[in-house]
Amino acid sequence: MIPNQWYPLVEAQEVSNDKPLGVRRMGQELVLWRDIDGNLVCQGARCPHKGANLGDGRMKGNTVECPYHGFRYGADGACRVIPAMGSGARIPGSLRVPTYPVREQFGLVWMWWGDERPAADLPPVQAPPEVTANRKLYATRRWTRPVHYTRYIESLLEFYHVTYVHRDHWFNYIDYLLLYGTPSKFGLDGRERYLAATRITNHQVETEEEGQTIRYSFDHCQEDDPTNTTHYVITFTFPCMVHVQTEQFETTSWLVPIDEQNTEHILRWYEYEQVKPVLRFEPLRRLLPWASLYMEKWVQDPQDVRIMEHQEPKISAGGVNKFIPVDEMNAKYVSMRARLIADAVAEPSSPAREAEPAPEAAGRGGAPARATGNGRGAAVGGRRGTKPKEDAAARP
């Protein structure tokens, strides 16, 4: 995992002041909640008393209550109430949970995973114009898959695998009919055209100056029939966002580490431009993105995941794969990821770390984020952050 980055956790609408929301991200249990004024809070979910998960608890005003013994914690992480000791009890200062800087942008909740910094020194949440300036209607869903996030990201950085992975399920015929078939043949030639498109041409990779965004454009085509061509533009922004745009569809994925074995896929599917002139009623236009998300979750994505589950090594890094020229985007991602990890370790604000040997095949797991901070996480960012304790250069 890359330190000193903003990572999306859930959709903003999932977090309320009625009930805490427990999630696992970056190798640790977290709890999300809002106070009575709607301010967003992100904290470590383990009650320091006996380790119960605060995500299973209840909201009590501006505190979250532990489900085990009723200890209550405020937005600053400090314990405010211990029922067993009475209302006048002196509460030990050590009874507190870590609180993380958190922001609410682009319809998502973002947590800062990195060194402790003042709120004013935290960088903005990274997102390209494809997301920030996109005015299309969309639908969003998330789900968990048992693969490392680097392999998941790789699966979306190129699309020449689709001919071989997405070809046999009966539901794929809807793709063939609607997206690849020609009107003159009522879409019935869709599967033939889909399977015939195997070549990547006109591929080009560009990196933005700030070093956080890569763009890759290419044509996925049939070698002996240039009319059977789909043009792709893939935009990747660190640490984990992949935006895909073609003539047929447009999506944004955030592949967020849950831990070293699992990834949360937050997928946003935008409305189909070709349908917009026909369907003026917005709720109807949202139905097609929702249907596409359903198909992706239950049909297309599982086909990719079955392949990824059997990849070795489980974590991608430099030197573990034999890239070909059309994998330039993938190679750029791997090298930039390694550089960002090294840069985060080298920053003066980073804590001292014990030296570890460099990985040979990136097969080791990453250290979970930890924090001792007591700042409040709010919509404008908290005061304290996580502080990785191990050598991140030797971690994925």
Side-chain angles (χ1 to χ4, degrees):
M1 304 166 196
I2 307 172
N4 298 337
Q5 298 278 341
W6 289 100
Y7 286 86
L9 303 179
V10 297
E11 289 188 78
Q13 66 183 13
E14 296 181 64
V15 187
S16 71
N17 58 10
D18 297 327
K19 184 179 179 181
L21 175 65
V23 298
R24 180 173 174 80
R25 301 288 186 273
M26 318 305 292
Q28 64 187 52
E29 303 295 332
L30 302 171
V31 62
L32 298 165
W33 52 280
R34 295 183 190 272
D35 66 18
I36 58 177
D37 295 318
N39 296 313
L40 190 63
V41 180
C42 178
Q43 297 174 321
R46 292 299 174 190
C47 177
H49 176 221
K50 290 191 176 180
N53 194 318
L54 298 178
D56 298 326
R58 297 184 296 176
M59 297 304 305
K60 289 288 187 178
N62 282 335
T63 64
V64 60
E65 181 184 80
C66 176
Y68 202 3
H69 300 97
F71 288 33
R72 299 181 195 171
Y73 299 89
D76 62 353
C79 184
R80 303 286 178 80
V81 176
I82 301 178
M85 294 176 61
S87 59
R90 181 181 179 275
I91 298 176
S94 60
L95 277 173
R96 61 186 312 112
V97 293
T99 298
Y100 303 97
V102 63
R103 291 182 182 173
E104 186 174 342
Q105 287 186 244
F106 319 126
L108 303 175
V109 172
W110 302 75
M111 181 190 78
W112 173 256
W113 191 77
D115 295 331
E116 297 178 4
R117 302 181 185 184
D121 293 342
L122 290 172
V125 176
Q126 293 287 334
E130 287 86 347
V131 173
T132 61
N134 201 316
R135 297 295 176 261
K136 293 180 181 178
L137 298 176
Y138 62 78
T140 306
R141 291 196 69 173
R142 63 183 179 93
W143 54 80
T144 300
R145 300 300 191 208
V147 296
H148 193 267
Y149 82 103
T150 54
R151 291 300 194 186
Y152 217 150
I153 287 173
E154 286 182 335
S155 73
L156 293 175
L157 296 184
E158 50 86 2
F159 273 76
Y160 64 91
H161 71 268
V162 299
T163 303
Y164 305 96
V165 179
H166 307 298
R167 62 189 302 162
D168 295 325
H169 195 283
W170 66 268
F171 212 82
N172 290 130
Y173 279 85
I174 296 178
D175 252 359
Y176 306 149
L177 180 68
L178 299 179
L179 299 182
Y180 296 93
T182 58
S184 62
K185 295 188 178 180
F186 305 103
L188 298 178
D189 58 342
R191 186 174 190 274
E192 178 184 350
R193 289 169 57 83
Y194 185 91
L195 298 180
T198 59
R199 187 177 181 185
I200 301 297
T201 62
N202 302 321
H203 49 96
Q204 183 176 1
V205 174
E206 297 178 353
T207 305
E208 290 190 354
E209 290 184 2
E210 91 287 346
Q212 292 277 348
T213 296
I214 319 168
R215 284 187 176 81
Y216 181 36
S217 61
F218 60 91
D219 291 324
H220 190 197
C221 65
Q222 181 177 336
E223 187 168 4
D224 58 352
D225 182 4
T227 65
N228 184 13
T229 299
T230 300
H231 183 69
Y232 285 83
V233 178
I234 299 179
T235 304
F236 178 81
T237 295
F238 282 95
C240 59
M241 190 220 78
V242 184
H243 184 87
V244 179
Q245 187 170 11
T246 75
E247 300 96 327
Q248 293 98 347
F249 66 91
E250 184 175 7
T251 64
T252 305
S253 292
W254 289 273
L255 292 314
V256 190
I258 293 177
D259 49 37
E260 292 304 312
Q261 291 79 39
N262 301 280
T263 299
E264 189 77 2
H265 188 176
I266 304 173
L267 178 59
R268 178 166 295 172
W269 202 292
Y270 300 89
E271 64 178 321
Y272 294 91
E273 283 292 317
Q274 55 269 43
V275 176
K276 190 173 181 178
V278 180
L279 292 178
R280 299 290 184 178
F281 190 48
E282 287 190 3
L284 287 178
R285 298 214 310 270
R286 291 183 190 273
L287 287 178
L288 288 178
W290 272 114
S292 297
L293 286 172
Y294 179 88
M295 184 176 73
E296 186 67 24
K297 179 179 180 179
W298 298 108
V299 181
Q300 301 281 52
D301 191 61
Q303 294 170 357
D304 287 316
V305 170
R306 279 195 293 271
I307 301 294
M308 290 185 279
E309 284 183 295
H310 294 94
Q311 283 183 281
E312 292 291 347
K314 299 299 182 183
I315 302 171
S316 181
V320 305
N321 299 300
K322 303 295 184 182
F323 292 133
I324 60 176
V326 297
D327 292 321
E328 183 181 1
M329 173 73 153
N330 200 158
K332 178 71 71 172
Y333 160 68
V334 168
S335 63
M336 289 180 64
R337 177 174 169 271
R339 177 179 59 79
L340 287 170
I341 293 174
D343 289 349
V345 173
E347 287 182 6
S349 60
S350 298
R353 297 171 173 86
E354 296 181 1
E356 291 187 17
E360 294 182 357
R364 301 181 61 185
R370 298 175 183 172
T372 56
N374 57 3
R376 178 182 181 181
V380 293
R383 296 192 186 97
R384 309 288 278 181
T386 61
K387 182 178 286 188
K389 303 269 183 170
E390 299 183 345
D391 187 352
R395 299 292 185 178

